[in-house]
Amino acid sequence: MRKLMTHVSIRILFGFLFIVSFFVFGHLPVVKAEDAQTVEGVWEVISVSSATDNSLIGSKVSISRNGDSYEVKGMNDDSPRIYAGNERRIVRTAIEDLIAPEDVHEGNMPVSVKSQLAGKQVPVNYSYTLSADGNLLTREQDGKDFNWQTNPETGEVRNVRYDITPGYFKRTLKRVSGPVSVAASKGDHAYRADCGPTVPNRTAPITTDLCPGNLVAMTYFCGGDTGCPYVCCPKGLPYLNHCDCKCYATADFDCHSYSKAQEQPKQVEAAHFQPN
C-alpha cells in the first residue's frame, strides 16, 4: 500500500511540474479573471462561417464601454459601431438595403427579381457573445435569403419573397488583451463648437465640422446659443455635465442636468433639434 501511494504521489508531482513548465517556458497567454468576464478588450478573428469572409481572419476589433453602451470598431477604423447590452452580450440593429445598390446589376439573380427587391430596407441584427471562460467571442449577423419561382415555358418570375435568417453568418474571435479603460476621473472641459458664421434662429444646414475629431452635444448650456447650439466633448467622454461644463465617461456625477455627445451627423440642421 505504501509503495502504491508513493507512485501516485510522484505522478501527481510530475503532472504539477508539467503544467507549471508550460506557463514558465511555453509562453501560454494568461488572462486575468476580471478581464475574462467582459466583452471589452481587443479581439482577433480566428474563424469565419462564410468563405467570402476569409480575408477577415487575423483582423482585430476593439470593444470599449462608453457610458451605457459599447463601442465596437476595427483597429484601422475611426467610426465605431454603437451596441447595447451587458458585459457578456452586446447587440445592435441596423436598417439596411435588402439588396445593395452595387449588387443590382451583378450576380445570378434575375433582373426582374432584383427590380422587385431593390429599394426595400430591412432590420439586420449583429451581436457579440462572450464564451463561458471569457477568452472567445462569437459574432453573429443575420442573413438574407431570397426565393422565387420561374415558369419553365415562359421564363416568367413569380412568388418573389425574402427571409431574414437570424445569426446566419458567424465569426469566432480570440481575446488579445483585456478591457480598454478610459481615464475619465477628472473630466475634461467642454468647448464651443465651430458652426461657422453664426446666425440667430439659424434654419440653414450647418456643413462645417463642428468638433473636429471629437463628439458633438446639442445644448444651450456651456457655450451653446441660438446661433450655434452645439458644444464639443473629447472622444470617450460623451456626458456633458451642465453644472461644471466638463465631459465625463459616465453620468455618475452630482448634477441632474447633462447632455450626451455623439458623432456628428453628415449634415446638421439646427432647426430640427430640440436642445437639452
Side-chain angles (χ1 to χ4, degrees), residues 135-148:
N135 288 318
L136 293 176
L137 202 61
T138 300
R139 179 191 186 273
E140 295 187 350
Q141 172 185 341
D142 292 349
K144 305 167 188 174
D145 296 325
F146 307 102
N147 298 278
W148 66 89

Side-chain angles (χ1 to χ4, degrees), residues 21-60:
S21 67
F22 261 97
F23 286 97
V24 175
F25 302 107
H27 304 293
L28 293 180
V30 181
V31 178
K32 296 179 181 178
E34 61 268 22
D35 291 350
Q37 301 307 314
T38 172
V39 297
E40 296 172 84
V42 177
W43 302 86
E44 179 181 344
V45 179
I46 59 174
S47 69
V48 295
S49 62
S50 173
T52 58
D53 290 337
N54 282 338
S55 61
L56 295 172
I57 294 178
S59 62
K60 295 181 177 65

Side-chain angles (χ1 to χ4, degrees), residues 205-227:
I206 297 172
T207 58
T208 60
D209 189 349
L210 295 170
C211 304
N214 287 316
L215 305 176
V216 180
M218 185 172 185
T219 177
Y220 287 150
F221 291 94
C222 303
D225 57 33
T226 55

Side-chain angles (χ1 to χ4, degrees), residues 82 211 214-218 231 233 238 260-265 273:
I82 306 303
C211 304
N214 287 316
L215 305 176
V216 180
M218 185 172 185
V231 172
C233 279
K260 186 173 182 181
Q262 57 188 344
E263 295 282 346
Q264 177 178 331
F273 288 87

Side-chain angles (χ1 to χ4, degrees), residues 27-143:
H27 304 293
L28 293 180
V30 181
V31 178
K32 296 179 181 178
E34 61 268 22
D35 291 350
Q37 301 307 314
T38 172
V39 297
E40 296 172 84
V42 177
W43 302 86
E44 179 181 344
V45 179
I46 59 174
S47 69
V48 295
S49 62
S50 173
T52 58
D53 290 337
N54 282 338
S55 61
L56 295 172
I57 294 178
S59 62
K60 295 181 177 65
V61 298
S62 68
I63 303 178
S64 57
R65 187 165 185 172
N66 193 337
D68 297 329
S69 61
Y70 291 81
E71 293 185 351
V72 179
K73 67 176 181 177
M75 299 304 291
N76 298 317
D77 185 6
D78 293 330
S79 302
R81 304 288 188 179
I82 306 303
Y83 283 69
N86 54 49
E87 293 181 336
R88 303 196 66 85
R89 177 176 169 80
I90 56 176
V91 181
R92 79 177 179 93
T93 301
I95 304 300
E96 300 180 357
D97 292 324
L98 188 58
I99 299 180
E102 60 269 21
D103 296 335
V104 172
H105 301 294
E106 298 180 4
N108 299 321
M109 185 183 295
V111 175
S112 58
V113 174
K114 293 179 180 178
S115 63
Q116 294 184 52
L117 299 177
K120 294 183 182 295
Q121 293 189 313
V122 294
V124 177
N125 294 309
Y126 298 79
S127 68
Y128 286 88
T129 304
L130 193 66
S131 63
D133 63 5
N135 288 318
L136 293 176
L137 202 61
T138 300
R139 179 191 186 273
E140 295 187 350
Q141 172 185 341
D142 292 349

